[in-house]
Amino acid sequence: MDTVEYPALSEVDRPLVDRYAVGLDADAARVLTYLRLRREHPGTETAPATRLEIRIGTGLSRGAVGDALDTLESLDLVTATSVRRHESGRPPQAWTTDASTTPRRVYERHAHRLFDRAGPDHAARPNPDGEGSDDGNRDDGEDDDDGDREPESLTVALNWHPNALHAPLYAGSAHGHYADGSLNVTFDPRTGSAAALDALSAGEVDVALVGAATFVASDREMVPLALLYERAMAVLYTTREAFGGPFERVRQLRDRRVGMSVGSETARLARLLLSQVDSLDAVDIVDLDGEERDALRSGRVDAVTGQVSDPDRIDDATVDTVPVANQFPLYGPVLVTSEETLDRHVDAVHAFLVGTMCGWADATGDPLGAAAAVPDGEDDERARETIEKATEEFGFEADHGWGEHTETGWERLRTALAHVDAQR
């Protein structure tokens, strides 16, 4: 009996699968990685893969493979053909990809889809392939510099001082991914999401990173480009000493003092979470104006609000944390721009999204290296832990790539915030 050997994905291939998944759903990323793998496997370098071979090579079901191929064909990332392997019968359909289908090429396609979210007036304007996007056989998500285009400049306002949560952005810059798209990016740290949004509105910057709640609450006509993190990163936290025991549920805060910077994004989300469990009116809210950890240590409050990285800065006590996203899934920090920027610098914004996806892939693939790219002075090992937690717990779902958002998701946030604001 004849036996047939097929190449198949293994753990060794996971880094490339993960890189492709930044711009695709997880199943499509596996199929595309498998098709790339065949190009390097003796005997299949030029042979298209049938549906059966793809199923065996990826371990996916027939339906999952079919959906993945539909996605990849719609993005022009694979080519369908037919192969005759027997003298009789209808030749089966098969698929292949080529050496230019690198992660960056996938991100260029995905950035084009993100422009669809920005609105039909902008969706067709950026070149989905970019210029100089074909980087030969490189699989690391990077491209050679494109010497045919004059670099454009883009200034990005950050929602706070540089920290580990900004790692995908700084990795995109430090590792040359923005430069690969002929783009010079400057980061302009601001003191909060509202300040970053003000800078964008005033025309001082081209793009701003702001909390989703701040973006929704604003009456300014701004355009959401992509979610840097899909889920809100606000948390309620305390120490066992301050709380008098474990803190596991939001309802435990009833009749307690909760410290927060009342006008901040994290405070709005914390109030929303408290309202969802009918505890907002039963909590004594203390306005701390940014001194959360000091107030917790002094006993002035029983618990405080913060970002996911804040509890990790307490290393001399047992800390308990309840993330907002665990109780009520809402969008996290979002990259936004203005209509004017899209009109004047659409290619630059497109290149910025591509470079940020490359930076995200770097941050997840090498969090310690990404931590070193952030100019925050924080211990790299601690920053690595923050990056891993943030990308794994708050990043994006496996059924779509990085950055995606929907009007349904924005409407959910608007409705929730309107509900909690009405309780003031």
Side-chain angles (χ1 to χ4, degrees):
M1 182 175 63
D2 293 334
T3 60
V4 180
E5 292 186 5
Y6 299 103
L9 298 181
S10 67
E11 277 301 307
V12 175
D13 305 302
R14 179 171 291 278
L16 184 55
V17 174
D18 290 343
R19 280 193 172 271
Y20 278 131
V22 175
L24 295 166
D25 65 82
D27 289 347
R30 286 187 66 81
V31 170
L32 188 56
T33 302
Y34 171 72
L35 294 176
R36 286 299 309 274
L37 173 67
R38 286 177 62 88
R39 298 186 61 86
E40 303 167 6
H41 190 275
T44 62
E45 300 97 324
T46 59
T50 64
R51 193 183 302 268
L52 176 60
E53 290 169 333
I54 295 172
R55 288 177 59 192
I56 294 172
T58 61
L60 297 174
S61 68
R62 181 181 179 85
V65 167
D67 290 342
L69 288 170
D70 287 345
T71 296
L72 294 171
E73 284 191 81
S74 70
L75 296 172
D76 197 27
L77 295 172
V78 299
T79 301
T81 184
S82 60
V83 292
R84 179 167 293 282
R85 296 178 179 172
H86 304 284
E87 290 301 321
S88 61
R90 182 178 180 181
Q93 195 170 20
W95 291 264
T96 189
T97 189
D98 57 48
S100 67
T101 312
T102 59
R104 187 178 182 97
R105 175 64 63 86
V106 172
Y107 303 161
E108 287 162 353
R109 296 292 200 279
H110 187 52
H112 196 57
R113 288 193 292 180
L114 290 172
F115 269 81
D116 290 342
R117 303 286 190 272
D121 291 342
H122 307 291
R125 293 177 59 182
N127 177 3
D129 289 325
E131 292 187 30
S133 62
D134 186 349
D135 59 356
N137 292 314
R138 293 171 61 184
D139 287 337
D140 58 1
E142 301 177 0
D143 261 349
D144 296 326
D145 287 17
D146 176 15
D148 297 332
R149 291 164 55 193
E150 284 294 324
E152 288 193 70
S153 296
L154 210 66
T155 302
V156 180
L158 302 180
N159 56 347
W160 198 246
H161 307 296
N163 60 74
L165 300 181
H166 299 137
L169 298 168
Y170 279 103
S173 179
H175 299 167
H177 298 308
Y178 297 127
D180 286 342
S182 296
L183 184 65
N184 293 323
V185 174
T186 301
F187 297 116
D188 184 358
R190 301 285 172 142
T191 54
S193 291
L197 198 60
D198 287 343
L200 178 62
S201 181
E204 299 171 2
V205 299
D206 304 297
V207 176
L209 176 65
V210 302
T214 299
F215 169 67
V216 164
S218 172
D219 58 359
R220 300 178 178 95
E221 292 295 326
M222 299 299 174
V223 180
L225 293 170
L227 297 169
L228 185 61
Y229 296 92
E230 188 167 317
R231 289 175 290 283
M233 308 179 78
V235 299
L236 288 158
Y237 69 98
T238 186
T239 64
R240 297 282 176 92
E241 181 181 22
F243 204 68
F247 170 48
E248 301 170 336
R249 299 178 303 279
V250 180
R251 289 183 184 276
Q252 290 178 265
L253 296 174
R254 295 177 69 89
D255 301 320
R256 298 273 195 160
R257 299 161 300 168
V258 179
M260 60 184 73
S261 297
V262 172
S264 69
E265 165 110 354
T266 54
R268 294 196 74 189
L269 292 174
R271 292 178 68 250
L272 172 59
L273 180 56
L274 289 164
S275 72
Q276 293 298 311
V277 295
D278 298 321
S279 298
L280 183 57
D281 293 337
V283 168
D284 180 13
I285 293 178
V286 181
D287 188 1
L288 298 178
D289 193 25
E291 303 297 330
E292 288 91 346
R293 287 194 299 278
D294 290 342
L296 193 60
R297 292 180 182 279
S298 69
R300 183 183 172 194
V301 296
D302 302 303
V304 294
T305 62
Q307 290 290 310
V308 64
S309 58
D310 292 333
D312 295 336
R313 292 182 171 86
I314 299 177
D315 52 17
D316 58 353
T318 300
V319 181
D320 292 324
T321 302
V322 175
V324 170
N326 284 4
Q327 308 287 322
F328 198 71
L330 296 170
Y331 285 156
V334 57
L335 293 162
V336 300
T337 190
S338 64
E339 290 283 355
E340 181 181 3
T341 297
L342 283 179
D343 287 340
R344 297 177 58 187
H345 305 291
V346 65
D347 288 329
V349 175
H350 184 268
F352 171 68
L353 291 177
V354 173
T356 301
M357 281 183 264
C358 292
W360 180 278
D362 287 352
T364 55
D366 180 17
L368 187 59
V374 182
D376 60 351
E378 186 175 11
D379 175 73
D380 284 351
E381 183 59 33
R382 174 175 288 179
R384 177 194 64 77
E385 294 175 358
T386 298
I387 293 168
E388 288 181 341
K389 179 187 296 184
T391 54
E392 290 174 6
E393 298 182 14
F394 303 93
F396 58 91
E397 299 294 337
D399 62 353
H400 56 256
W402 170 88
E404 291 206 17
H405 53 96
T406 66
E407 183 53 39
T408 300
W410 290 117
E411 187 57 36
R412 183 189 305 119
L413 180 56
R414 291 189 194 97
T415 300
L417 291 175
H419 172 73
V420 72
D421 289 344
Q423 298 183 52
R424 288 181 177 176

